[in-house]
């Protein structure tokens, strides 16, 4: 199977970490008549980004179910920055290309409000705008497409969270990378799963605390295999999606079986109901001993499923023409 950038993922993460410099906190700059001070104690984190960049916000939110996160994290996947219930939030703007209209518009609004903004990008218009104001930009390693640059973006964001004392990660950062290596050893299992869902619409049941892995599988199947996927989040989806199992649609179920301890009965009950209704499902088990390692195992593993499905369908995983088209249309309409 063509693994694209996956074999460089560990290196990408390590490289991005080196790009987060502690002197970010000494930055003070004038933007639109307002002084933006990066040394302040922030009271919330806003992650803004779309698609392969925006999923970093979902992954961080997953991790906060397991870690002792000291600040609320809001994920904004929109061109409109909502009201943030905080007086001094830090905005981490993640855009692989730096040219995503929605992300740039959120950053413009954040700067108008006087919020500190840190860019995580390879450059583009976002990088240029922030640099022109003398504001911090964390560079990330290049990849074949934004979605394949995940570890660089994630590790840059994690290091920024640590710099602002939102989380204490320490050695878990390095340990987390084992999750990537472990998943890469499970390519055959991923191919088996891909062949099992081929020809069906997959319904991926994930506990709320691993929602990010669900979103990642959906996005990767959409973009790599050009394939639709439904993400059903436990327990909420047990109150709606579940009713559809008696409907006879051409779907196949995947169940991610690991969440926080309190989610256990909800996951078990779901599997019991599927069994009672003779609905076949494949369990996806996460490997790893720390929250980050487990999350990275999941995120990498589902990516491999999508690459294997692309291969099985004889689809080139890289091009995403309709997305390029809509990006151009949106940009033209600004
Ligand atoms: C993933 C992909 C898209 C982009 C999205 C935002 O590979 O191509 O999901 O991530 O269009 O673009 P960026 O990441 O450049 O801000």
């Amino acid at each position: 199977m063509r693994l694209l950038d996956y074999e460089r993922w560990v290196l990408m993460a390590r490289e991005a970490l080196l790009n987060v410099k502690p002197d970010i906190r000494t930055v003070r700059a004038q933007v639109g008549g307002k002084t933006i001070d990066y040394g302040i104690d922030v009271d919330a984190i806003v992650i803004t980004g779309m698609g392969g960049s925006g999923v970093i916000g979902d992954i961080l939110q997953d991790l906060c179910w397991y870690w002792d996160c000291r600040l609320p994290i809001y994920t904004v996947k929109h061109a409109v920055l909502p009201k943030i219930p905080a007086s001094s939030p830090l905005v981490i703007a993640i855009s692989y290309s730096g040219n995503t209209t929605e992300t740039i518009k959120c950053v413009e609004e954040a700067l108008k409000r006087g919020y500190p903004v840190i860019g995580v990008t390879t450059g583009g218009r976002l990088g240029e705008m922030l640099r022109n104001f003398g504001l911090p930009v964390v560079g990330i390693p290049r990849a074949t497409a934004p979605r394949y640059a995940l570890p660089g973006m994630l590790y840059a964001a994690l290091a920024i969270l640590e710099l602002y004392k939102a989380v204490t990660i320490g050695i878990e950062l390095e340990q987390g990378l084992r999750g990537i290596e472990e998943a890469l050893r499970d390519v055959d299992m991923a191919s088996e799963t891909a062949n099992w869902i081929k020809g069906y619409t997959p319904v991926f049941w994930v506990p709320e605390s691993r929602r990010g892995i669900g979103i990642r599988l959906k996005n990767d199947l959409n973009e790599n295999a050009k394939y639709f996927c439904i993400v059903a989040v436990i327990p909420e989806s047990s109150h709606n999606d579940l009713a559809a199992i008696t409907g006879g649609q051409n779907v196949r179920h995947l169940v991610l079986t690991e969440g926080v301890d309190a989610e256990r009965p909800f996951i078990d009950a779901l599997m019991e109901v599927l069994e009672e209704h003779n609905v076949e499902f494949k369990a996806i088990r996460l490997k790893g001993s720390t929250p980050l390692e487990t999350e990275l195992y999941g995120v990498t593993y589902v990516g491999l499923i999508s690459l294997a499905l692309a291969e099985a369908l004889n689809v080139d995983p890289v091009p995403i023409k309709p997305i390029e088209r809509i990006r151009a249309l949106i940009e033209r309409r600004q």
Side-chain angles (χ1 to χ4, degrees):
M1 188 166 85
R2 202 173 140 214
L3 288 175
L4 292 155
D5 300 298
Y6 276 83
E7 282 165 317
R8 290 198 297 125
W9 269 27
V10 168
L11 295 177
M12 284 173 161
R14 288 198 186 115
E15 194 181 322
L17 273 185
L18 299 175
N19 295 343
V20 181
K21 305 275 191 305
D23 64 2
I24 286 178
R25 299 223 52 173
T26 64
V27 173
R28 259 171 84 90
Q30 287 290 122
V31 182
K34 283 200 165 91
T35 304
I36 303 187
D37 183 353
Y38 285 73
I40 56 162
D41 285 334
V42 299
D43 58 0
I45 305 285
V46 178
I47 311 280
T48 179
M50 304 299 293
S53 298
V55 76
I56 304 298
D58 301 310
I59 292 171
L60 294 174
Q61 261 162 348
D62 281 3
L63 291 167
C64 282
W65 281 90
Y66 298 83
W67 287 345
D68 180 19
C69 293
R70 283 171 221 116
L71 297 174
I73 297 180
Y74 300 98
T75 298
V76 178
K77 296 180 178 180
H78 204 325
V80 183
L81 186 68
K83 287 181 187 148
I84 308 294
S87 55
S88 42
L90 168 74
V91 177
I92 306 177
I94 310 181
S95 171
Y96 175 82
S97 63
N99 290 323
T100 300
T101 301
E102 292 90 333
T103 313
I104 292 171
K105 291 199 79 80
C106 273
V107 168
E108 286 168 351
E109 174 59 23
L111 294 176
K112 260 193 218 148
R113 295 187 202 171
Y115 300 159
V117 176
I118 301 175
V120 173
T121 181
T122 55
R125 286 188 284 133
L126 174 68
E128 196 183 318
M129 173 171 73
L130 293 175
R131 283 201 181 97
N132 285 344
F133 285 127
L135 303 179
V137 175
V138 175
I140 45 160
R142 291 194 176 268
T144 312
R147 58 192 174 281
Y148 310 127
L150 182 142
M153 296 188 279
L154 177 63
Y155 269 57
L158 286 169
I160 295 168
L161 292 187
E162 189 144 59
L163 194 61
Y164 277 85
K165 301 190 168 39
V167 285
T168 308
I169 315 168
I171 51 161
E172 212 186 314
L173 272 179
E174 185 54 35
Q175 277 174 6
L177 299 174
R178 286 191 217 146
I180 298 175
E181 290 162 343
E182 188 69 39
L184 287 170
R185 283 192 278 274
D186 285 342
V187 174
D188 292 344
M189 211 161 73
S191 295
E192 235 173 74
T193 304
N195 282 307
W196 193 69
I197 58 174
K198 189 179 158 198
Y200 300 86
T201 302
V203 179
F204 190 23
W205 295 86
V206 290
E208 184 71 55
S209 68
R210 297 293 186 181
R211 199 179 136 269
I213 298 177
I215 303 286
R216 181 67 181 185
L217 176 69
K218 183 197 80 65
N219 294 357
D220 276 352
L221 285 174
N222 299 155
E223 294 181 283
N224 289 331
K226 329 301 177 209
Y227 213 79
F228 281 110
C229 171
I230 295 162
V231 182
V233 182
I234 307 166
E236 171 58 17
S237 289
S238 300
H239 297 269
N240 31 70
D241 292 76
L242 188 58
I245 62 170
T246 58
Q249 271 173 286
N250 205 26
V251 297
R252 275 223 157 144
H253 298 264
L254 302 172
V255 182
L256 199 151
T257 56
E258 272 99 12
V260 292
D261 289 345
E263 289 176 314
R264 187 75 272 143
F266 298 91
I267 300 168
D268 289 346
L270 183 259
M271 292 193 288
E272 202 174 315
V273 174
L274 292 179
E275 275 160 14
E276 278 170 10
H277 286 77
N278 296 319
V279 174
E280 227 189 313
F281 64 89
K282 220 182 210 321
I284 307 265
R285 293 197 178 81
L286 299 178
K287 294 185 184 169
S289 52
T290 67
L292 182 58
E293 185 182 349
T294 321
E295 184 81 8
L296 273 172
Y297 174 87
V299 160
T300 310
Y301 183 69
V302 299
L304 298 178
I305 295 176
S306 73
L307 290 180
L309 184 61
E311 194 172 87
L313 295 168
N314 208 12
V315 164
D316 183 347
V318 180
I320 42 171
K321 286 225 168 71
I323 297 180
E324 278 159 24
R325 171 74 180 139
I326 202 163
R327 288 176 60 101
L329 287 182
I330 289 169
E331 200 179 320
R332 218 179 292 156
R333 278 162 210 219
Q334 294 311 305

